[in-house]
Amino acid sequence: MYLHFYERILGSLIQDPTFALPFWNWDHEDGMAIAEMFKDPESPLFDGLRNVHHLPSNKPLDLRWDRVTEDKPFERIRDDNYARVYELMVSGAQRRLEFFGPKYRAGDPPPAGGGGTSERLHNMAHLWTGGHNQQFGEDMGNFYSAGRDPIFYVHHCNVDRLWNVWKTIGGFRFDFDDYDYLNTSFLFYDENSDLIKIKVKDVLDPQALGLEYEDRPIPWRNSRPVPTAANAARTATAAAFGGPITSPSAFPLVLEKVTTVMVPRPKKGRTAKEKSAASEILVVEGIELEGDKVVQFEVVINDDPDNPSGPSNSEFAGSFLNIPHVHGNNGHNKFVTGLRMDITELLEDIGAENDDQIQVTLVPKKSDGPVTIGGLKIEYSS
C-alpha cells in the first residue's frame, strides 16, 4: 500500500502516470550490489548515512553478514544468498503461516512465533545498507529512519515482488483468507492529497493495482542446500556431533556462547502423506531482547558446534535478526518474540527423519545487547 501511493505521488509530481518504481533485484547475482544511480553524491537518490564499505560495485548484499567480515569472495556470498532465499522462499515457506507469520489481531500481544520468513528475507538488506557508524544504524539500519533512504523503496519493491513470486511456486503458497485480515484497513494520502481508506484485500492482486513485475531469472529456485559429508554418509542411527550438550532444564538462558541442546521429536518416520498434511517446525521460543539493539544468531541441526555450517549446507536451519525500531528515550524496551523454522525438507536431506531427537546448536553472532532464549521444541503446522 505504502509503495502504491508513493509511486502514484511520484508519477503525479513528474506528470507521468506510467511511472513505476524499479526493484532492487538482490536475489540475482547481477543485482546484488547497490546500483550506481544511488551512489552519486549530487543525486537526491544518495544517502550519506549508508555503510561506506558496501558501496563498491564488487560488494554484493550479503544475506548472512555478521557485521564483522567484509572480505568474503563474491562467489561465496552469491551461493549463500541463493541458498538463503531458497530456505526463506521454498523449503522454509511451504505454508502461509510460515511465510507471513502467526496471526496478529488488534489488542493481542506480539505473536510468540515472531515474524514469518518474508520478514526474515527482508531484514538483512536494512542492516547491511545502514550506517555502521551511526548510533542507531540510521538510515536503513533502523526502522524509524529507513524511509529517509531512497533505496528503502526499491528494496521493498523487491520484497513485494518476491511475495508475488512465492505465490507462483505452488503447493500451499497462497494468501490468507481470514476475514479480519482481508478487511483490515489503512489510511493513505493519494496524489491529490485526498485521504484514502484501503483494505488488505484490495492489494493482494498486483494487476488490480496496475502492477506487473518484470520477469527475472530466479536461480535460487534450484539452490537446495546439500548436507555435509558427515550427514551425507550417515545411517539411520542417531549420530553424535560433538560439543557439550546443554540440558533443557538450563532454559531460559542468556545466549552468550555456542549452545547445543537435544530436542525430542514427537513423531518420526513420517510418510509423504503426513508431511503433506503438516510441516515439522522447530520453534525457538521466549526470545527476549531490547528493541533498540541489533541481535542475531544462527541455528544449525546435527552439525559440528565447533565448525557450524552456513546456508549452502542442509544443516543450516535458519537465523534470527532483530533490526532496531526504536531510538532515543524510547529505547531499552524489552520484548519477547520467537523463531519458527520449517525443517521438514532439512531432515530429509540430512537423513534424520527416523531419529527420536535432533541436536540443535544456537550460534550467536555480533550483537549489541543480550538475548535470552526460553527454550526449543518441535511442533507441526498444517
Side-chain angles (χ1 to χ4, degrees):
M1 297 176 185
Y2 186 6
L3 295 178
H4 171 66
F5 286 104
Y6 182 70
E7 194 172 66
R8 283 171 52 175
I9 291 168
L10 292 180
S12 175
L13 290 172
I14 62 173
Q15 299 180 349
D16 181 2
T18 68
F19 171 76
L21 287 164
F23 55 82
W24 181 7
N25 190 197
W26 44 253
D27 58 302
H28 188 282
E29 63 179 301
D30 292 344
M32 289 178 181
I34 293 176
E36 293 300 319
M37 61 190 278
F38 292 100
K39 299 178 184 178
D40 180 1
E42 303 301 319
S43 168
L45 299 180
F46 181 78
D47 186 324
L49 298 185
R50 297 185 191 128
N51 189 325
V52 296
H53 299 297
H54 298 161
L55 295 180
S57 299
N58 64 346
K59 285 288 186 180
L61 167 62
D62 184 354
L63 294 178
R64 198 199 175 199
W65 186 50
D66 59 7
R67 305 172 70 208
V68 177
T69 309
E70 298 287 3
D71 57 355
K72 283 192 270 185
F74 175 87
E75 293 76 13
R76 179 182 170 191
I77 294 176
R78 177 200 63 200
D79 293 347
D80 278 354
N81 281 358
Y82 286 167
R84 287 241 63 191
V85 179
Y86 179 91
E87 166 215 333
L88 297 168
M89 290 280 288
V90 184
S91 64
Q94 300 185 48
R95 301 173 192 277
R96 53 191 178 179
L97 178 65
E98 307 315 322
F99 185 70
F100 294 110
K103 294 178 181 178
Y104 187 20
R105 288 185 168 86
D108 289 349
T117 63
S118 57
E119 183 75 5
R120 303 207 297 273
L121 180 69
H122 130 280
N123 279 351
M124 185 54 81
H126 277 273
L127 184 66
W128 184 86
T129 306
H132 66 292
N133 57 353
Q134 301 300 309
Q135 182 178 3
F136 297 108
E138 293 93 337
D139 283 324
M140 273 285 281
N142 195 309
F143 286 154
Y144 94 89
S145 57
R148 298 175 182 172
D149 188 337
I151 210 168
F152 168 88
Y153 301 93
V154 298
H155 167 49
H156 274 270
C157 276
N158 200 46
V159 174
D160 280 357
R161 167 185 160 266
L162 289 173
W163 174 10
N164 201 52
V165 170
W166 176 79
K167 291 190 285 188
T168 69
I169 295 176
F172 298 101
R173 296 175 179 86
F174 39 81
D175 292 316
F176 283 116
D177 53 8
D178 181 274
Y179 179 87
D180 287 349
Y181 174 70
L182 295 177
N183 289 280
T184 297
S185 61
F186 298 84
L187 296 171
F188 286 88
Y189 285 101
D190 69 5
E191 66 275 21
N192 299 313
S193 300
D194 293 328
L195 193 60
I196 305 295
K197 177 183 285 189
I198 187 168
K199 297 182 178 180
V200 169
K201 65 182 180 182
D202 299 327
V203 298
L204 298 182
D205 178 7
Q207 291 187 342
L209 297 174
L211 289 175
E212 184 176 354
Y213 295 100
E214 177 187 347
D215 284 334
R216 293 289 296 149
I218 47 175
W220 47 263
R221 185 67 179 85
N222 299 312
S223 294
R224 183 169 179 164
V226 296
T228 60
N231 278 312
R234 69 172 292 211
T235 66
T237 304
F241 296 91
I245 304 298
T246 300
S247 170
S249 63
F251 291 89
L253 58 76
V254 178
L255 186 63
E256 298 176 311
K257 61 182 181 180
V258 175
T259 301
T260 299
V261 62
M262 302 305 296
V263 179
R265 297 177 63 218
K267 303 175 184 179
K268 65 177 184 177
R270 297 196 302 148
T271 65
K273 182 177 180 180
E274 289 174 317
K275 294 176 190 176
S276 177
S279 295
E280 186 161 350
I281 309 297
L282 173 62
V283 182
V284 183
E285 54 186 351
I287 302 175
E288 183 177 351
L289 65 151
E290 295 177 359
D292 65 338
K293 306 295 185 186
V294 174
V295 170
Q296 56 181 335
F297 62 85
E298 295 180 344
V299 183
V300 296
I301 295 176
N302 288 8
D303 201 14
D304 181 358
D306 295 326
N307 187 27
S309 296
S312 294
N313 287 121
S314 305
E315 290 78 5
F316 185 92
S319 65
F320 176 87
L321 170 61
N322 181 67
I323 301 296
H325 51 280
V326 290
H327 63 104
N329 294 329
N330 296 321
H332 308 295
N333 61 324
K334 285 192 173 183
F335 72 101
V336 179
T337 183
L339 174 64
R340 297 171 57 88
M341 293 159 285
D342 187 335
I343 60 172
T344 308
E345 185 176 286
L346 181 155
L347 295 176
E348 294 176 359
D349 290 348
I350 66 173
E353 292 183 284
N354 293 312
D355 290 358
D356 296 314
Q357 56 186 354
I358 53 175
Q359 180 172 307
V360 179
T361 300
L362 306 178
V363 184
K365 298 295 181 179
K366 182 180 178 182
S367 299
D368 295 334
V371 56
T372 299
I373 307 297
L376 297 93
K377 67 179 181 180
I378 297 287
E379 63 182 38
Y380 297 89
S381 174
S382 60

